[in-house]
Amino acid sequence: MAPAAGTSGASARAGLVLLTLASGQFLMALDSSVMNVSIATVAEDVGTTVTGIQGAITAYTLVMAMFMIPGGKVGALIGHKRAFLIGCTIYGCGSLTTSLAPNLPVLLLGWSFLEGIGAALILPSIVALVAGNFATERRPAAYGMVAAAGAVAIAVGPIIGGVATTYFSWRWVFAGEVVLVLGILVLSRQTADARTEGSPRLDLFGTALSALGLGAFVYGVLRSGTWGWFQPKPGAPAWLGISLVVWLMLAGLMLIWLFLRWEARLVEHHREPLLDPSLLRNRQLTGGLTMFFFQYLVQMGVFFLVPLYLSVALGLSSLQTGARILPLSLTLLAAAILIPRLLPDVSPRRVVRLGVLALLVGAVTLLAALDTDAGPEAVTVPLLLIGLGMGALASQLGAVTVSAVPDRQSAEVGGVQNAVTNLGASIGTALAGSIMIAALGASFLTSVEQNEAIPAEVKSQATVRLESGVPFMSDAQLKAALDEAGTSPEVSSAALDANAAARLAGLRAALAVLALAALVALFFTQRIPNAQAHSKT
């Protein structure tokens, strides 16, 4: 482990190491947030549909989820720095392939597969390399900066994607990622490897079980918006009258249970497990992982809903939408950097509780601020609070999870930690989306049925056609569709009013669920330690 910086040279080296690892985290988080504002353009360029590009996003998430835990073990086998460098190289090759992709299969190879595999090697290695390059008392600040870099990437991604797509091409984003990878590879020379003890081996059967289990569960979650959580949507696959989402999630849980049983058996026979089951009996570690799960659930739910409100409900451009999200980045960075620096001995439990409270108050404030007359300024204060909460959590949780185990297990913890955050992000996005669409549909149909200006036959047709859900549409999109259908001015006006009210109802319902998740998270903060790791001796 590197000693605490006592000279300007050591301080400069520590700064370069932190810049390298934070850049890696920034790179991992950038893709999805950039592509979300460019989906239609990308689909047209590679000769596919929006559904095809959404499938590529799903596949990228799946590959990361499936191989995150084995990716942590690879670092122990070949060295964490080497795994990080190999991961960056694979990721860079994936970005280059994506930037040149002429069709969807090449895009899937570059973006979904190569970048996903690269991320599965990089993210656990970052956790281990922070532990290996920073003294225990400096880790909260280091982990805070690394986590903040990822969250900032999600916040500024829409601006980068909007600028690139509007003035250049979405391909330049991926070409830029190649340049960033080259910069990371050059900077990484200052990064020391994290120590690995013993002669670790890779459990291939456990790898298959964990990959299939996490893959099935996450895929089920990701398909929930299309297939329905329990009741199958019209035309969606089902078994015994229940949506296939339920069966995929149950199959995933069963495979994960079998994986843990297999790992326990390996430990009993004194063989090397992929994941030591005893880690999951560690109260501090499971407390940190639980908070990571809830943080990413709320965080990604907010990042899904707020851009929809700004870009669809208010009609802001991608650049304007990104600019309105920037206040979140400011308080996030401030909290992640300043809390460890100004309050090095503060109670992690207290900071985490205050962070969760800030998330809760921010979500409730945003819920209250949304109104038919609200403008883009309605999101500013709530996002400042949510960013503050995210920064507070980022400043503590990485150090909490890693300090719960010996340094030699840091990459193992990194794999589990990133699998949990990936799971939380997937559930947060899917849950926010499905709740929003369900509430939107219910509100829209209620408004239509209660409006006397709409003929009975139109009401009947609307009820049948909208059984599978109402799309989240802007007024301009709906008006264009109504004009094309030759709808009368009275019916069009009623439909536009119903759509505006339904959009708000959907957003409010989803925000209420996210606020409830933050409230539930408060009950798990008791597992977070009350003192920093360096003060426990």
Side-chain angles (χ1 to χ4, degrees):
M1 182 185 300
T7 65
S8 59
S11 179
R13 176 192 166 277
L16 282 175
V17 171
L18 188 55
L19 176 62
T20 303
L21 301 179
S23 297
Q25 189 79 29
F26 180 90
L27 184 65
M28 297 302 95
L30 186 63
D31 266 11
S32 297
S33 61
V34 165
M35 294 299 282
N36 282 340
V37 300
S38 312
I39 288 177
T41 305
V42 177
E44 184 179 352
D45 279 1
V46 298
T48 186
T49 63
V50 169
T51 303
I53 301 302
Q54 290 172 333
I57 296 174
T58 300
Y60 174 60
T61 304
L62 274 178
V63 171
M64 281 199 299
M66 291 173 68
F67 295 105
M68 200 64 73
I69 292 177
K73 197 66 173 181
V74 168
L77 286 168
I78 65 175
H80 302 299
K81 182 176 179 180
R82 183 178 297 175
F84 177 76
L85 297 178
I86 292 173
C88 285
T89 303
I90 294 173
Y91 195 95
C93 290
S95 296
L96 180 61
T97 302
T98 305
S99 70
L100 301 172
N103 51 45
L104 182 60
V106 177
L107 185 78
L108 286 167
L109 172 65
W111 186 20
S112 304
F113 182 70
L114 290 177
E115 288 195 18
I117 292 293
L121 289 171
I122 293 169
L123 290 169
S125 298
I126 288 175
V127 176
L129 290 172
V130 169
N133 283 268
F134 294 91
T136 305
E137 63 272 12
R138 298 192 61 198
R139 287 179 192 168
Y143 282 121
M145 276 298 297
V146 168
V152 168
I154 296 171
V156 302
I159 295 181
I160 297 173
V163 169
T165 304
T166 302
Y167 299 108
F168 307 101
S169 167
W170 61 271
R171 297 178 186 274
W172 284 102
V173 175
F174 289 93
E177 287 185 353
V178 177
V179 176
L180 183 54
V181 165
L182 292 174
I184 291 171
L185 293 176
V186 172
L187 289 174
S188 64
R189 290 180 296 178
Q190 295 294 324
T191 304
D193 202 355
R195 184 176 57 193
T196 300
E197 298 178 1
S199 302
R201 300 178 64 183
L202 184 61
D203 169 23
L204 294 177
F205 186 64
T207 296
L209 284 175
S210 68
L212 290 172
L214 286 170
F217 190 91
V218 171
Y219 185 67
V221 170
L222 292 173
R223 300 302 296 173
S224 61
T226 305
W227 294 346
W229 282 97
F230 301 101
Q231 184 72 25
K233 293 185 178 182
W239 187 40
L240 301 178
I242 299 175
S243 172
L244 203 59
V245 166
V246 173
W247 300 112
L248 281 170
M249 294 174 68
L250 288 175
L253 290 174
M254 177 61 71
L255 287 168
I256 292 170
W257 179 81
L258 289 173
F259 164 68
L260 293 175
R261 293 300 304 156
W262 171 256
E263 298 302 292
R265 182 181 176 186
L266 290 182
V267 172
E268 289 172 3
H269 289 80
H270 305 289
R271 295 168 61 189
E272 181 80 16
L274 181 66
L275 173 69
D276 189 344
S278 66
L279 288 177
L280 302 182
R281 295 192 292 272
N282 184 316
R283 180 180 174 85
Q284 177 177 326
L285 176 61
T286 55
L289 293 176
T290 302
M291 298 315 301
F292 264 120
F293 172 82
F294 279 108
Q295 177 192 346
Y296 275 78
L297 189 155
V298 175
Q299 174 180 313
M300 296 309 295
V302 168
F303 277 127
F304 174 78
L305 295 173
V306 172
L308 272 182
Y309 169 70
L310 294 172
S311 62
V312 178
L314 300 185
L316 271 60
S317 68
S318 298
L319 293 178
Q320 293 170 319
T321 298
R324 286 290 176 178
I325 298 175
L326 280 180
L328 181 147
S329 299
L330 298 177
T331 50
L332 188 156
L333 278 174
I337 295 171
L338 295 179
I339 290 175
R341 179 172 296 179
L342 301 180
L343 303 168
D345 296 316
V346 71
S347 163
R349 185 186 302 167
R350 182 174 301 169
V351 174
V352 168
R353 280 179 175 166
L354 290 174
V356 174
L357 276 173
L359 290 178
L360 173 60
V361 174
V364 172
T365 305
L366 183 57
L367 193 158
L370 294 184
D371 192 79
T372 51
D373 298 324
E377 67 281 353
V379 305
T380 302
V381 172
L383 288 185
L384 287 171
L385 289 169
I386 291 169
L388 184 64
M390 288 167 54
L393 292 170
S395 74
Q396 304 298 316
L397 291 182
V400 164
T401 55
V402 172
S403 66
V405 300
D407 284 352
R408 59 183 171 80
Q409 292 182 300
S410 57
E412 198 171 343
V413 167
V416 178
Q417 175 181 304
N418 282 289
V420 167
T421 57
N422 196 292
L423 184 62
S426 300
I427 291 178
T429 304
L431 191 62
S434 58
I435 294 295
M436 181 192 70
I437 293 300
L440 174 68
S443 175
F444 189 87
L445 288 174
T446 300
S447 297
V448 167
E449 289 172 358
Q450 292 178 349
N451 196 307
E452 296 179 357
I454 300 177
E457 62 271 16
V458 174
K459 294 179 181 180
S460 178
Q461 291 174 9
T463 301
V464 172
R465 292 185 180 183
L466 300 177
E467 279 183 350
S468 59
V470 181
F472 195 88
M473 300 173 65
S474 67
D475 289 343
Q477 290 172 321
L478 180 58
K479 189 174 189 308
L482 292 170
D483 289 345
E484 186 177 348
T487 309
S488 67
E490 294 79 8
V491 173
S492 292
S493 177
L496 287 169
D497 290 342
N499 185 50
R503 277 197 312 250
L504 285 179
L507 289 167
R508 285 171 175 162
L511 283 168
V513 170
L514 295 181
L516 179 62
L519 183 62
V520 171
L522 283 172
F523 291 92
F524 293 92
T525 56
Q526 192 64 30
R527 292 193 170 198
I528 303 299
N530 207 29
Q532 295 289 344
H534 68 277
S535 62
K536 290 182 178 181
T537 55

